[in-house]
Amino acid sequence: MSEEEKEIVIKIKRSSKEKGNWWQEYKLKVDRFTQMTEVLRRIKTEQDPTLAYRASCHMAVCGSCGMKINGEPRLACKTLALDIVKKYGKNEITLEPMDYFPIIKDLIVDWTDFYNRMFKVKPRLYPSKEVLEGKADHRLKPEDQRELWKFEQCIWCGLCVSACPSVKNDPEFLGPAAHAKGYRFLADPRDTIFDERLKILIDSSWRCTYCYQCFNVCPRDIEPVTTIKKTRAYTKFVKEKTPVSLTGEKHAEAIAKSIEDTGKIEEAKVYISTYGLLTAITDMIYAMQNGKLKYALVTDTKVKNMTQIRKIMEGE
Amino acid sequence: MEKLSYDAIVIGGGLAGLMAAHEIAVSGYKVAVISKVFPTRSHSSSAEGGIAAYIDGNSDPNDNPDYMTYDTIKGGDFLVDQDAAELLSKKSGEIVRIMESWGTLFNRQPDGRVAIRYFGGQTYPRTRFVGDKTGMALLHTLFQRVSGLDIDFYSEWFALDLIRDDKRVVGVVAMEMKSMTPAFFKTRAIVMATGGMGMLYAHSTNAYINTGDGYAIALRAGAALKDPEFVQFHPTALYPSDILISEAARGEGAILINNKGERFMVRYAPRKLDLAPRDITSRAIITEIREGRGFPGGYVGLDLRHLGEDYIKERLALAYEAAMNFSGVDATKEPIPVRPAQHYYMGGIDVDITGQNPDLIGLFAAGEAACVSVHGANRLGSNSLLETLVFGRETGRTVAKFLSEHKEEDSNNLDKEAEKVVDDAYKFVKSESGVHFGEILNKLRNVMWEKVGIFRDEDNMKDALSQIIELRKMSSSMYVLDKSSTYNTEFFNALELRNMLDLAIVIGRTAIERKESRGAHFRTDYPERDDNNWLKHTIAYLKGETVEITYKPVRITKWKPEPRVY
């Protein structure tokens, strides 16, 4: 087992209230086993004690060490220095604080807003009175346990939120981590506040754009976007729908109908079904002004073998 | 300085602290949790294998709580307080049931009941688990549960020192890390739930945050540590990150090999081979490395290859993934690099089975910070998660009862005392030149590892102790380069080092005094267990540089000491 040491350059984006922002370079030798948390620890104890970062478990279960490594949102502990050197083909690694979160100092960001979002979804089981009093026991099918456990493994690291474009644009969107947590309890057969949870989650679930950034960066493979999709499927159970969830639901129905009729998504038709004729006309003026109207007026032909498509749709 | 007032303060936001806070809050008292990390970042999250529990109607039909107690006592080499072990076993099923009812997704049997697996030292299988992330699952459940209660969380607040009068604790001074603002928390009861101290050792499976803060704070407040010489080492920690590779790997047939490809355990435990107890295996690995039969860098191989790819990925998923993610090693193609590492601290703040400390009225402790003593000289696997919850709950209940019986009393000069705590913390690091924390820290971790580690003897430990005292002197002129008043981690690292040095001196001194080998305390100059002279708990106080040691008897209910043969 060879264990070659290699000198690498670490460039860290620093910041402090007193000194503002700057980039700082460090050089150190690493081997094939060196985690980025270890790189940071060694810089701090051996070269520059002023460097500030968070790290705790160094085994990807505590979620402390989220940061951008060569621009990618990652856990420092789950990243081996030489893997990054190999991936990017150069000896230099850059470290920056996570996007979206306010920076407190160096690589340390402020999680307050993130925690508030997590608490908004009531992140805890509300069991029945009988179970709480010890008069009854839960039983849980092994397959339900496996399904829920996938989504329960969120370690509150915030990487998905730092990578999410919707959360930046839409203050009403709870964000991927809160949705994963919310869904984990929504889907738990032992929980008793299903309606209340739906009310918290539904409107927000229609504000996700399905860009899959949360899916890509999650260090525990939770797939927050999957939980959002699954939550949306519950819209039909909601009594008082918000404009966003109503529109979303209509949009989904219009797409389904379009595929059922023609085998394709007819953008213009779907648009009118979703937003209504009046909004469509208003938007059309806007589209005309921007030279995009031609795309709305493209006419599609039906797919030939429609029976096959309908079979597939029924199968789902 | 800002002054805040609570009925009780819990220091530490891991499993023990949160469970204690839960009990205090539901009894109607105002409680705050002070933690230097957000609770889900606590070291409890790293626990892997499971939580031992005897559950009526859902255990092996031959098992009973007495077997569980006996296993714990024998595992602890008879230094266990037997009433504590009995309580631990008796409450185990109830604790698992409560955590399940609050939402923990325990792995299930096909009929929907909580599943069981075997763990080292158990007569019958009784470990309950959530994949290989049991600690994380329990911690999140409990944190989520208590976040719905009326408890104030001071996360990323660093506890500096306790405030006491003649006989009682009356508060704690802590500092918000973000703003570096200190506050004086007035209170009638303090629960120390600050976890372990792995960072004292160059090699540890512990989180970076485990710097033994609670032990040192208690020592400085005048409370004793019980059995501080007992430090557990785990034989198979991944090289070089020291992430734990569970005993399950060897249980499934993995073999330890040296650089010659030899199955070296043949020489050390001819019958048990690779499944010998933790202490024997740890000593064997270190011997191989010291005698030049380890791999460059200092490790041996844990060979799984003969088990086959499918079997490894199915049965040893964590070992496989950890080796892949953290060491870049494909365990189906090459041996996993492992070496022993510090793993757990059996010693801790002296408390009885109610969680109360006898030295200071109003001081309580739970979890790894405490020594109840349920683990004695050597802890069994899956008993530590159980301890955090059982004794976290017992302690919380004791505090609630204590609060109902003890009204607030006037104490003079408290504000001055609180100011002094902050001054002391700054004084400690206010020099304009000198050494940085990192230099002292690295030396301390190395000397603890080399001389107060797996093999111990008088000469080496005396040498270590004088070095520790020297480092402690050096530390008084330590200086902090970072002058920032925002999240000054260098300042807090220096304070952590102060805590580590206070603890190290106590470990070093008590280990020199215990002239026998028992459990994890192995002396090459006294290789045998000596029940005639040493079947007793060490009780140690720190007075400046002096460690004052007394002893107290082990509580024995019905299990007489016998040779520990497996």
Side-chain angles (χ1 to χ4, degrees):
Chain A
M1 195 181 297
S2 76
E3 205 202 317
E4 292 158 43
E5 283 203 320
K6 188 170 189 173
E7 186 167 84
I8 58 167
V9 176
I10 305 287
K11 277 183 77 176
I12 303 182
K13 193 176 185 181
R14 313 268 322 252
S15 69
S16 78
K17 244 188 207 157
E18 294 83 3
K19 294 192 205 160
N21 302 325
W22 73 100
W23 284 88
Q24 195 154 342
E25 258 187 45
Y26 305 93
K27 281 185 191 136
L28 79 167
K29 281 187 177 157
V30 297
D31 63 27
R32 61 186 276 213
F33 305 118
T34 311
Q35 297 166 267
M36 287 306 295
T37 36
E38 204 47 26
V39 166
L40 287 162
R41 191 189 69 78
R42 281 178 45 203
I43 290 173
K44 192 165 174 67
T45 50
E46 292 161 18
Q47 297 185 32
D48 181 358
T50 69
L51 176 68
Y53 65 94
R54 290 189 184 100
S56 177
C57 75
H58 63 71
M59 53 187 281
V61 294
C62 83
S64 300
C65 61
M67 60 190 66
K68 278 201 301 182
I69 302 177
N70 278 10
E72 283 183 74
R74 286 168 162 272
L75 289 184
C77 71
K78 214 181 166 182
T79 306
L80 298 175
L82 289 185
D83 282 355
I84 293 293
V85 166
K86 204 190 283 173
K87 183 175 173 184
Y88 288 88
K90 58 176 184 178
N91 250 4
E92 185 183 284
I93 300 175
T94 62
L95 300 180
E96 298 165 79
M98 282 192 286
D99 284 336
Y100 178 74
F101 298 92
I103 295 164
I104 296 176
K105 182 174 179 176
D106 295 346
L107 298 169
I108 295 177
V109 297
D110 190 339
W111 268 315
T112 313
D113 170 74
F114 172 79
Y115 293 145
N116 289 339
R117 286 166 186 275
M118 297 298 277
F119 291 131
K120 262 188 198 156
V121 300
K122 294 184 167 267
R124 64 195 70 91
L125 191 73
Y126 288 82
S128 71
K129 207 167 155 256
E130 290 73 31
V131 167
L132 265 188
E133 286 169 359
K135 289 174 189 153
D137 275 326
H138 287 138
R139 294 249 176 154
L140 195 59
K141 290 184 206 146
E143 56 269 31
D144 288 346
Q145 188 271 347
R146 274 195 290 276
E147 164 85 358
L148 293 172
W149 176 237
K150 178 175 174 63
F151 303 121
E152 169 70 356
Q153 291 191 55
C154 170
I155 51 175
W156 301 46
C157 67
L159 285 174
C160 60
V161 171
S162 81
C164 172
S166 296
V167 104
K168 295 181 182 76
N169 297 329
D170 184 350
E172 300 295 312
F173 179 48
L174 290 164
H179 268 289
K181 188 55 75 181
Y183 177 76
R184 172 257 173 277
F185 289 107
L186 185 72
D188 195 323
R190 303 170 298 174
D191 193 60
T192 59
I193 61 161
F194 181 79
D195 292 342
E196 195 183 337
R197 292 192 189 283
L198 262 190
K199 210 175 155 188
I200 295 166
L201 295 170
I202 284 293
D203 176 83
S204 172
S205 74
W206 287 99
R207 294 169 185 270
C208 162
T209 61
Y210 285 177
C211 74
Y212 275 68
Q213 280 307 310
C214 59
F215 181 97
N216 291 335
V217 305
C218 177
R220 297 236 64 90
D221 299 324
I222 311 284
E223 300 179 16
V225 64
T226 305
T227 67
I228 293 175
K229 284 183 181 173
K230 285 174 180 256
T231 302
R232 276 189 194 180
Y234 287 110
T235 308
K236 54 182 180 288
F237 299 119
V238 180
K239 287 178 200 97
E240 294 162 36
K241 292 180 177 109
T242 62
V244 173
S245 54
L246 266 179
T247 307
E249 201 175 20
K250 271 192 212 157
H251 184 67
E253 278 166 13
I255 288 173
K257 183 156 191 317
S258 172
I259 296 172
E260 203 182 344
D261 289 348
T262 65
K264 293 180 175 176
I265 298 173
E266 298 175 291
E267 300 278 359
K269 260 196 207 168
V270 166
Y271 197 83
I272 293 168
S273 311
T274 307
Y275 292 102
L277 197 56
L278 196 67
T279 315
I281 290 169
T282 325
D283 286 354
M284 215 176 276
I285 295 166
Y286 179 77
M288 201 159 62
Q289 282 165 346
N290 290 287
K292 302 276 165 77
L293 192 62
K294 58 184 179 206
Y295 299 112
L297 301 177
V298 174
T299 45
D300 271 326
T301 46
K302 264 191 191 182
V303 169
K304 278 177 193 151
N305 199 349
M306 280 308 295
T307 37
Q308 280 291 33
I309 286 182
R310 279 171 198 148
K311 256 190 202 163
I312 291 167
M313 289 179 81
E314 276 162 25
E316 280 296 309
Chain B
M1 193 185 315
E2 193 185 357
K3 207 189 261 181
L4 299 150
S5 185
Y6 287 92
D7 293 319
I9 299 283
V10 175
I11 306 178
L15 283 168
L18 294 176
M19 191 53 121
H22 179 275
E23 292 303 304
I24 298 166
V26 298
S27 305
Y29 292 102
K30 195 74 195 130
V31 57
V33 176
I34 296 175
S35 167
K36 66 177 178 177
V37 294
F38 185 73
T40 58
R41 325 277 180 221
S42 304
H43 186 52
S44 299
S45 66
S46 306
E48 293 174 13
I51 173 167
Y54 173 84
I55 302 177
D56 230 356
N58 185 18
S59 279
D60 188 292
N62 299 308
D63 200 7
N64 73 53
D66 265 3
Y67 282 117
M68 190 170 168
T69 307
Y70 171 73
D71 289 345
T72 299
I73 292 166
K74 183 177 166 189
D77 221 349
F78 294 87
L79 196 69
V80 173
D81 277 344
Q82 300 188 355
D83 54 346
E86 283 177 75
L87 182 73
L88 187 77
S89 308
K90 206 176 93 193
K91 303 262 174 165
S92 61
E94 194 186 337
I95 275 294
V96 165
R97 203 198 63 75
I98 288 171
M99 293 308 292
E100 198 291 326
S101 77
W102 291 349
T104 304
L105 290 163
F106 286 105
N107 278 54
R108 301 292 168 151
Q109 302 176 23
D111 67 0
R113 292 182 303 162
V114 174
I116 312 176
R117 70 160 56 135
Y118 246 125
F119 236 75
Q122 293 175 351
T123 307
Y124 298 101
R126 57 175 87 91
T127 293
R128 316 291 164 159
F129 58 98
V130 186
D132 44 33
K133 306 278 186 319
T134 313
M136 187 180 116
L138 291 169
L139 181 65
H140 280 260
T141 302
L142 187 53
F143 173 64
Q144 290 168 174
R145 175 87 190 164
V146 298
S147 72
L149 299 177
D150 184 18
I151 295 173
D152 289 347
F153 283 92
Y154 293 85
S155 296
E156 304 197 334
W157 279 67
F158 194 97
L160 298 175
D161 265 312
L162 302 183
I163 303 291
R164 59 170 292 178
D165 63 13
D166 291 348
K167 49 187 189 301
R168 294 170 305 146
V169 291
V170 289
V172 56
V173 179
M175 187 178 270
E176 189 191 28
M177 295 168 78
K178 184 176 160 186
S179 68
M180 307 295 288
T181 316
F184 174 28
F185 295 78
K186 258 186 109 226
T187 189
R188 284 178 281 157
I190 300 258
V191 179
M192 303 297 281
T194 45
M197 56 68 152
M199 289 303 282
L200 261 81
Y201 283 84
H203 302 299
S204 173
T205 62
N206 284 194
Y208 293 125
I209 58 172
N210 285 19
T211 52
D213 302 328
Y215 309 117
I217 290 172
L219 283 168
R220 286 197 297 269
L225 298 192
K226 192 195 286 163
D227 298 335
E229 62 270 42
F230 290 97
V231 179
Q232 185 172 62
F233 299 86
H234 196 289
T236 59
L238 188 62
Y239 173 86
S241 56
D242 296 320
I243 291 166
L244 183 69
I245 300 292
S246 175
E247 241 164 45
R250 280 170 293 137
E252 299 282 4
I255 288 168
L256 289 160
I257 55 165
N258 61 19
N259 68 8
K260 295 178 171 158
E262 295 169 333
R263 186 180 194 179
F264 59 83
M265 285 308 290
V266 173
R267 286 199 291 277
Y268 302 90
R271 282 186 307 133
K272 283 272 185 182
L273 294 168
D274 302 279
L275 273 174
R278 282 180 184 180
D279 46 352
I280 293 172
T281 314
S282 294
R283 290 193 283 271
I285 293 172
I286 292 295
T287 304
E288 289 296 302
I289 294 170
R290 282 187 182 169
E291 292 178 0
R293 291 186 296 277
F295 292 93
Y299 56 85
V300 297
L302 182 66
D303 197 350
L304 278 63
R305 290 174 295 183
H306 56 285
L307 301 175
E309 183 171 342
D310 291 346
Y311 193 81
I312 291 169
K313 287 184 178 171
E314 188 202 331
R315 301 292 287 269
L316 299 169
L318 175 75
Y320 176 77
E321 285 164 23
M324 188 62 101
N325 290 335
F326 299 108
S327 293
V329 167
D330 182 344
T332 65
K333 297 197 171 70
E334 55 182 321
I336 301 176
V338 294
R339 66 180 168 197
Q342 188 281 348
H343 182 56
Y344 187 82
Y345 192 40
M346 273 76 70
I349 299 166
D350 181 23
V351 293
D352 60 22
I353 58 169
T354 73
Q356 192 152 14
N357 170 267
D359 303 305
L360 211 43
I361 296 169
L363 180 64
F364 304 81
E368 195 172 343
C371 180
V372 174
S373 150
V374 281
H375 309 307
N378 177 50
R379 178 178 67 77
L380 282 191
S382 52
N383 264 1
S384 82
L385 281 178
L386 180 62
E387 185 205 3
T388 60
L389 294 172
V390 167
F391 286 96
R393 192 167 70 134
E394 293 300 310
T395 305
R397 288 178 173 180
T398 310
V399 169
K401 189 163 169 281
F402 171 89
L403 290 171
S404 73
E405 291 162 357
H406 289 72
K407 298 288 161 247
E408 198 174 329
E409 291 173 41
D410 279 336
S411 292
N412 300 322
N413 283 331
L414 289 178
D415 293 353
K416 264 191 195 156
E417 287 295 314
E419 298 287 349
K420 193 175 168 297
V421 165
V422 179
D423 287 348
D424 279 355
Y426 275 111
K427 189 164 62 192
F428 175 61
V429 289
K430 78 169 185 189
S431 320
E432 283 304 315
S433 63
V435 284
H436 289 134
F437 80 90
E439 199 185 325
I440 302 175
L441 175 65
N442 287 343
K443 283 181 181 158
L444 174 70
R445 298 183 69 195
N446 285 326
V447 76
M448 290 299 287
W449 176 253
E450 294 296 334
K451 300 185 183 236
V452 198
I454 297 168
F455 287 106
R456 301 171 170 188
D457 67 65
E458 181 134 342
D459 290 347
N460 272 308
M461 286 193 291
K462 280 192 166 156
D463 181 31
L465 188 62
S466 63
Q467 286 191 49
I468 293 163
I469 290 169
E470 204 49 45
L471 291 171
R472 202 154 166 262
K473 275 188 196 136
M474 258 167 89
S475 76
S476 61
S477 63
M478 188 159 49
Y479 90 117
V480 169
L481 204 63
D482 188 355
K483 306 297 176 196
S484 156
S485 59
T486 308
Y487 223 118
N488 191 335
T489 52
E490 187 188 356
F491 176 69
F492 294 113
N493 286 152
L495 291 177
E496 287 174 338
L497 178 61
R498 168 173 73 160
N499 290 337
M500 290 157 78
L501 287 164
D502 283 354
L503 177 59
I505 202 170
V506 175
I507 295 176
R509 169 52 63 197
T510 53
I512 291 169
E513 287 309 311
R514 184 172 283 273
K515 293 175 173 43
E516 65 157 351
S517 290
R518 184 184 295 270
H521 176 68
F522 188 83
R523 300 262 317 229
T524 50
D525 44 358
Y526 298 95
E528 300 298 323
R529 193 176 86 190
D530 177 2
D531 285 337
N532 290 331
N533 296 303
W534 291 102
L535 187 61
K536 58 189 181 187
H537 295 297
T538 304
I539 301 295
Y541 297 89
L542 182 64
K543 304 266 163 72
E545 242 170 51
T546 314
V547 180
E548 288 178 4
I549 300 173
T550 60
Y551 294 94
K552 72 180 173 192
V554 173
R555 280 194 296 273
I556 289 171
T557 56
K558 55 182 171 190
W559 289 275
K560 295 270 177 296
E562 57 184 60
R564 185 169 157 244
V565 185
Y566 285 97

